[in-house]
Amino acid sequence: MFTRCLFNLVSHLIFSRWVRGYEEHHGVCEDAYATRLGPLHLEVNQCFVLDHEDAAIGFQIPTWHYRNGRFQSGRLSLRYRVCRGTEPIRPSGVDIYWLRPLSQVPDSMADDTDFPL
């Protein structure tokens, strides 16, 4: 019951007029729709090869960490996903991950002559 309600809510909000940054992707195996509603990130994936569809709602918190003598920004992503169907591709539940920027390549390593390959 909760899964169906949350899936319907996210699906309706994605196609509402209050969202911004609407994106869609139509691949060989599934269709994906994503958008932002204020601080929330909404996403729906519909797989038509397998019996699976999922909806996710989440948000990202900006973070800062000290690295190589300076502060760098990152993001902490919190997301809750619900799935429907008998062949789940992605798991239901809470996802928490930290997106950090890639480290800068030192100038001494940027020159191709250091690597004879």
Side-chain angles (χ1 to χ4, degrees):
M1 178 74 173
F2 176 72
T3 299
R4 185 175 64 217
C5 289
L6 188 60
F7 190 88
N8 290 338
L9 174 68
V10 171
S11 297
H12 285 106
L13 285 175
I14 280 181
F15 299 110
S16 72
R17 60 186 172 128
W18 301 320
V19 298
R20 63 181 170 85
Y22 176 80
E23 298 177 15
E24 62 182 60
H25 171 73
H26 302 288
V28 177
C29 299
E30 72 178 345
D31 293 333
Y33 306 94
T35 190
R36 300 193 65 79
L37 177 65
L40 298 178
H41 177 77
L42 308 170
E43 179 180 339
V44 171
N45 300 296
Q46 298 169 335
C47 180
F48 41 84
V49 175
L50 302 173
D51 180 25
H52 172 83
E53 55 186 0
D54 61 72
I57 185 169
F59 60 95
Q60 294 179 349
I61 302 169
T63 61
W64 295 90
H65 65 281
Y66 190 74
R67 178 187 234 177
N68 298 332
R70 61 189 170 127
F71 283 99
Q72 295 180 344
S73 64
R75 294 173 294 181
L76 180 65
S77 178
L78 305 167
R79 178 173 45 196
Y80 183 74
R81 181 181 308 277
V82 295
C83 298
R84 297 193 308 190
T86 58
E87 301 172 305
I89 298 171
R90 289 171 278 277
S92 296
V94 176
D95 291 332
I96 301 172
Y97 55 92
W98 185 28
L99 302 167
R100 296 184 298 172
L102 297 173
S103 61
Q104 299 292 329
V105 176
D107 291 336
S108 63
M109 294 182 69
D111 188 12
D112 290 339
T113 58
D114 293 340
F115 300 101
L117 299 178

